[in-house]
Amino acid sequence: QVQLVESGGGLVQAGGSLRLSCAASGLTFSRYGMGWFRQAPGKEREFVAAISSWSGTNYAASVKGRFTISRDNAKNTVFLQIDSLKPEDTAVYYCAAAERNYNGYSKALYDYWGQGTQVTVSS
């Protein structure tokens, strides 16, 4: 079965950086669009960034210029580099996979989800 496993979260001071990873298995990774979402306490899960099979990218306006999504098809892994972290970036970050090679912001168009990794930014 399809599994998405996130890692790389943690506690970091404002202004710091983190690199999140999402290792995928059970699917033909190179054909899937991959996305990152996040959910802060008491808030809806929101789109952060996505990348298509040919590495076309999309970003939420709130993270553009600070977050970079990339993928390594040989390792079945998608990454999210997060720089200049802010306290408002605190959330659980989820990886998602879209069978239709979708790389947009709609949660409904992603078919598989990981369990999430916690990112906490202290001020």
Side-chain angles (χ1 to χ4, degrees):
Q1 73 276 19
V2 174
Q3 282 194 312
L4 302 175
V5 180
E6 301 96 334
S7 61
L11 173 62
V12 63
Q13 287 191 327
S17 297
L18 282 174
R19 190 190 196 206
L20 306 185
S21 299
C22 171
S25 60
L27 50 74
T28 306
F29 179 79
S30 61
R31 297 181 184 175
Y32 278 68
M34 300 298 296
W36 285 97
F37 289 75
R38 66 186 181 185
Q39 188 166 16
K43 293 191 175 181
E44 296 276 326
R45 190 172 299 189
E46 65 174 3
F47 172 75
V48 172
I51 186 167
S52 67
S53 64
W54 59 83
S55 295
T57 57
N58 281 311
Y59 294 93
S62 59
V63 307
K64 209 164 188 177
R66 297 190 299 121
F67 289 22
T68 305
I69 188 171
S70 61
R71 65 189 296 159
D72 184 338
N73 289 340
K75 296 183 178 180
N76 287 5
T77 302
V78 61
F79 303 98
L80 186 68
Q81 177 68 38
I82 310 176
D83 297 319
S84 303
L85 276 157
K86 305 176 181 180
E88 53 263 43
D89 294 320
T90 295
V92 178
Y93 283 70
Y94 297 91
C95 171
E99 209 164 20
R100 301 171 199 78
N101 196 24
Y102 178 67
N103 68 336
Y105 58 85
S106 175
K107 294 187 292 291
L109 295 182
Y110 288 86
D111 301 285
Y112 304 103
W113 293 83
Q115 293 301 305
T117 186
Q118 177 71 48
V119 172
T120 303
V121 184
S122 62
S123 56

